[in-house]
Amino acid sequence: MSTATPPEELIQRIYETALDVEAWDVVLRELCVPLRAEHAVLAFRSQSSEGLGLKRSPSLSSEELADHERKLNEFPEMLASLKRTPEGAIVRTQQMVPLPLLRRSPMYQEWARPLGIEWAISSPVLRDAAGVGLVGIMREARCGDFSREDS
């Protein structure tokens, strides 16, 4: 069984691995442990295009990540909310868009639900003229929604 890495150590490891893409998977897995989450994603979304410059997850395949990106690009309400979310803020998905709208969306119906993903939190960790870097953490229904204590 995995043990949780203390938050201060996780933050330090994120900085230490910033330039080592291969090490990101380890840090993303470590983020999942204390949050009882199955999936973590690190992504960079360019300000100048609809696509991502980089998307990384230790638990989701490249096809699943590409499908997520297609569904996200078809969800203007979610994209607008991501652009408004301040750097460093941690938000639950239903804080970005109303839960009924989310549950009706192709992103949920055709991507998240088939993968068993029910709840998510995300945070823009970097925002500059080139784009925005995001961390997303996702849970299955059996783990329940994220709480204030999780963020």
Side-chain angles (χ1 to χ4, degrees):
M1 179 173 194
S2 297
T3 58
T5 304
E8 315 77 50
E9 189 177 322
L10 264 178
I11 292 167
Q12 182 62 36
R13 290 183 41 73
I14 290 167
Y15 283 111
E16 288 170 359
T17 62
L19 300 177
D20 183 0
V21 175
E22 297 305 315
W24 293 355
D25 286 351
V26 174
V27 175
L28 290 171
R29 278 189 205 98
E30 289 175 2
L31 281 171
C32 287
V33 173
L35 296 172
R36 301 176 334 277
E38 288 76 22
H39 306 289
V41 176
L42 179 64
F44 181 79
R45 176 172 277 283
S46 171
Q47 299 285 32
S48 61
S49 71
E50 290 184 354
L52 292 180
L54 175 69
K55 199 161 195 174
R56 187 90 182 179
S57 173
S59 58
L60 297 168
S61 71
S62 57
E63 293 81 18
E64 289 165 336
L65 290 172
D67 193 33
H68 176 265
E69 188 58 22
R70 283 188 292 278
K71 299 302 180 206
L72 183 58
N73 284 329
E74 297 168 4
F75 199 179
E77 298 88 350
M78 181 70 78
L79 288 173
S81 180
L82 284 172
K83 289 180 180 178
R84 288 189 309 268
T85 304
E87 185 177 314
I90 299 172
V91 293
R92 295 166 40 214
T93 303
Q94 60 269 33
Q95 290 173 292
M96 291 191 267
V97 294
L99 199 54
L101 176 63
L102 175 67
R103 295 292 190 248
R104 288 191 310 270
S105 73
M107 186 169 145
Y108 176 78
Q109 291 292 327
E110 299 169 16
W111 186 80
R113 189 174 181 192
L115 289 172
I117 297 169
E118 193 69 25
W119 307 106
I121 56 174
S122 64
S123 178
V125 292
L126 166 75
R127 188 183 303 276
D128 63 19
V132 59
L134 302 160
V135 172
I137 310 288
M138 294 160 263
R139 276 186 184 161
E140 293 179 351
R142 65 181 170 76
C143 294
D145 194 1
F146 288 93
S147 68
R148 189 176 294 245
E149 290 77 34
D150 291 325
S151 55

